[in-house]
Amino acid sequence: PPILAGVYDYPHEPEHARGLVMAAIEPQLASIPSLVRGMVRDEMQSRITLPRRITIALPDPIVSVTYEGERTSVVACPIGGSTTVTSRDGETVPVTQRINGGWLEQTFTGPSGGTLRVLLSTEPDGQTLHVDGTMTSERLGQPIPVRLDYQRVH
């Protein structure tokens, strides 16, 4: 959808976003034995990378989403296509892009088979970008949804 094209910034400090993600994960951690729960929590916190800026470009036929934060990742391929990005650990991560409910959906598949599905949508005025992420994995009892809202700057 053309309204998605633009540059969006996260309007809070990174700790705010990290807190939202960890609050969504915390119920799943409750099912892990207490002996290792702290270690798992610390590892998850250290692995969470959240973009401070998202830039969406929609030149036909390539759709490009640039995630800028501690590092920059670019997902660029046609709708219905796939590409790869490199994780912070140097792993190659397949990504697909498709339209879901009129919005852009990206699915990142990790080396162990877990997925992060990201649905990018806006408010009708186009000023707020909703980034709805859903994490799934064999190790998680159920999918973990999280929403972060970004504000249009361009």
Side-chain angles (χ1 to χ4, degrees):
I3 195 169
L4 275 177
V7 178
Y8 302 87
D9 283 349
Y10 190 70
H12 307 286
E13 291 301 314
E15 293 75 29
H16 179 266
R18 191 169 275 108
L20 293 174
V21 172
M22 289 309 296
I25 292 170
E26 198 63 38
Q28 294 296 316
L29 293 178
S31 65
I32 296 173
S34 60
L35 188 62
V36 294
R37 188 176 307 139
M39 260 186 352
V40 172
R41 182 182 293 115
D42 290 347
E43 181 184 337
M44 291 183 91
Q45 281 183 316
S46 72
R47 294 181 63 84
I48 295 171
T49 59
L50 301 163
R52 289 177 128 313
R53 172 169 281 182
I54 298 173
T55 303
I56 302 172
L58 303 172
D60 194 30
I62 302 298
V63 173
S64 174
V65 181
T66 303
Y67 296 97
E68 296 176 61
E70 295 170 15
R71 54 190 223 92
T72 298
S73 293
V74 178
V75 176
C77 66
I79 295 297
S82 64
T83 187
T84 60
V85 294
T86 303
S87 75
R88 65 190 268 171
D89 299 330
E91 303 267 353
T92 299
V93 177
V95 185
T96 59
Q97 296 193 121
R98 69 183 190 109
I99 298 297
N100 181 355
W103 299 108
L104 180 61
E105 180 181 80
Q106 298 177 319
T107 302
F108 299 79
T109 305
S112 62
T115 62
L116 172 61
R117 184 183 61 82
V118 176
L119 185 68
L120 301 161
S121 64
T122 66
E123 286 295 316
D125 66 3
Q127 295 305 302
T128 301
L129 174 71
H130 301 298
V131 180
D132 290 295
T134 304
M135 296 174 270
T136 59
S137 167
E138 281 182 2
R139 294 181 276 181
L140 299 172
Q142 58 188 0
I144 299 175
V146 128
R147 171 177 271 193
L148 298 175
D149 289 328
Y150 288 72
Q151 297 301 310
R152 181 183 292 274
V153 292
H154 298 286

